[in-house]
Amino acid sequence: FRMGIRTTDKFSKQVEYNAFLAYGTGDGRFKYGAGVRGFLSKDPRQLLGVNYQHDVEQLGQSPTAFKQDNLLSSILRRSPNNKLTLVDEYKVTYEREWFQGFTSTLMLRYRKLVALGNLSYMRPPESFDEPRTVHEINTAEVVLNTRFAYHEKYLSGTFQRIPVRSNYPVLDLHLAYGIPSVLNSDYEYERAVFKLSQRVPVGVLGNLRYAAEVGKVWGTLAYPLLVIHPGNETFYYDEGSYNTMNFFEFLSDRYASVSMENHFDGLFFNRIPLLRRLKWREVASFKALVGALDPKHTQELMLLPTMHTLSDGPFMEAGAGIENILALAGDPPADGS
């Protein structure tokens, strides 16, 4: 059970406050969090935010997936929800838009991770000793996220903005540095991720959306801090995940991926009289992932039996489906859109 509150622009157009309180009947624990963000200036756009949360998370979940407290995540699950992590997180963020379409976000973050369910933190045994249990993992890091989207426009509220994609490429760069020995932080590391994405009109074939991404982690790390490739253990489709992959199934410290999704906009169904009236649309997708994991990381925490590397070759999946199913029936527009 969860209850959250957030102020609106009727309260203030300069500062926004939020908080939540949740309770899990299975573990008998309260979860909670609070935050505030406000404008330093609106032209240029500069936002400063401070957040704290004590909550359960699914590490390795894509940003586009339903959260674990979403009702549909529970109803449409295809496996038990037993790979969770209790996270204490303190976060300070500063966002600045340098000019339209070019934004940087600087973040300072401290996290304490505690394994729940089937997860565990076990150090390899020394000589003939038994593996040693690690109760928690502490990390402190500084993160810089930069996004460049030429001529990108937004649907804007007072504080929140939703990008409306243009047909130009979008570049995202993520850089992070793990700071050792700050508030008992355990690891020093560097992480870099570069992503290129674009929506490309392809004439009568509709429109193609593609994304290519490469990433690498430097340092010797426990498995929760490595690249956990995003899986999906529900029956709904998530465009940001590998939908036939489980959570924590594949881990890497360096990887490259590509995904493509073509929306045919009725290319085939509009030629079939009855299906034309339903306004259904065809969609096809393909995703591929290659990666590697240095054995040195198992010196920190042993991988669990359900965790694997991509050493045997790439992970690939393809799909075809129908979208716009709930549209009201009737004749489609003359242009077929």
Side-chain angles (χ1 to χ4, degrees):
F1 297 94
R2 176 177 173 127
M3 178 180 68
I5 58 174
R6 183 176 61 191
T7 61
T8 70
D9 56 4
K10 292 182 179 180
F11 176 83
S12 172
K13 295 183 182 296
Q14 292 294 128
V15 182
E16 179 189 74
Y17 299 91
N18 67 84
F20 76 90
L21 177 66
Y23 179 77
T25 58
D27 61 4
R29 295 178 178 178
F30 282 98
K31 292 86 178 176
Y32 42 85
V36 58
R37 63 176 174 174
F39 283 103
L40 301 178
S41 68
K42 293 190 176 182
D43 188 16
R45 179 183 171 92
Q46 295 185 84
L47 272 171
L48 181 66
V50 179
N51 289 84
Y52 168 73
Q53 71 168 17
H54 172 83
D55 201 2
V56 171
E57 291 187 13
Q58 176 64 69
L59 300 184
Q61 186 177 48
S62 82
T64 56
F66 286 137
K67 300 302 180 184
Q68 295 303 301
D69 57 5
N70 189 292
L71 182 62
L72 293 178
S73 293
S74 298
I75 295 176
L76 299 177
R77 291 197 62 81
R78 58 178 174 82
S79 59
N81 197 13
N82 56 11
K83 302 169 186 172
L84 299 173
T85 302
L86 182 63
V87 179
D88 271 297
E89 180 181 78
Y90 303 81
K91 183 170 63 176
V92 179
T93 58
Y94 168 71
E95 176 189 331
R96 179 182 175 116
E97 183 179 54
W98 302 97
F99 53 84
Q100 181 179 349
F102 184 47
T103 305
S104 296
T105 303
L106 180 66
M107 176 172 63
L108 301 175
R109 180 170 67 173
Y110 176 81
R111 292 193 301 168
K112 180 175 72 174
L113 310 179
V114 177
L116 300 177
N118 287 353
L119 297 181
S120 62
Y121 303 155
M122 304 293 294
R123 290 195 184 278
E126 296 180 356
S127 64
F128 296 102
D129 296 336
E130 294 293 324
R132 295 162 292 158
T133 300
V134 177
H135 175 65
E136 64 186 40
I137 296 173
N138 300 287
T139 66
E141 64 179 7
V142 55
V143 179
L144 176 63
N145 293 319
T146 301
R147 175 183 175 86
F148 177 65
Y150 183 65
H151 279 191
E152 185 171 63
K153 294 180 173 58
Y154 303 92
L155 296 175
S156 296
T158 303
F159 296 92
Q160 191 70 23
R161 300 197 306 181
I162 301 174
V164 179
R165 287 190 178 275
S166 68
N167 292 333
Y168 294 98
V170 178
L171 309 177
D172 290 279
L173 178 64
H174 167 88
L175 301 172
Y177 172 66
I179 310 170
S181 304
V182 173
L183 300 175
N184 297 318
S185 59
D186 299 312
Y187 298 100
E188 181 178 16
Y189 56 89
E190 298 85 33
R191 181 173 61 247
V193 177
F194 176 75
K195 181 179 179 180
L196 171 67
S197 58
Q198 187 179 9
R199 177 185 183 273
V200 183
V202 285
V204 296
L205 296 179
N207 65 83
L208 172 70
R209 302 174 187 175
Y210 74 85
E213 183 175 315
V214 293
K216 182 174 174 59
V217 178
W218 293 266
T220 303
L221 298 175
Y223 71 76
L225 305 179
L226 296 169
V227 179
I228 305 170
H229 298 295
N232 182 6
E233 296 188 2
T234 68
F235 289 107
Y236 63 80
Y237 179 80
D238 174 27
E239 65 178 13
S241 301
Y242 298 96
N243 290 276
T244 56
M245 182 187 294
N246 294 325
F247 293 130
F248 282 100
E249 186 173 2
F250 290 99
L251 293 86
S252 301
D253 59 11
R254 51 199 184 277
Y255 72 96
S257 68
V258 63
S259 65
M260 295 178 288
E261 193 172 87
N262 200 89
H263 299 257
F264 292 95
D265 295 340
L267 174 64
F268 305 109
F269 288 165
N270 282 351
R271 287 161 171 75
I272 304 174
L274 293 179
L275 291 180
R276 175 185 174 88
R277 295 188 61 83
L278 292 175
K279 297 184 180 180
W280 286 0
R281 300 291 182 260
E282 320 85 347
V283 59
S285 64
F286 173 77
K287 300 177 182 180
L289 169 69
V290 295
L293 184 65
D294 195 309
K296 68 180 182 181
H297 299 293
T298 57
Q299 300 169 14
E300 287 299 317
L301 290 185
M302 300 168 56
L303 298 185
L304 301 180
T306 56
M307 299 177 183
H308 307 281
T309 70
L310 291 163
S311 58
D312 292 333
F315 180 95
M316 295 183 288
E317 65 179 29
I322 302 171
E323 59 184 354
N324 208 44
I325 295 175
L326 299 181
L328 296 177
D331 291 331
D335 61 0
S337 62

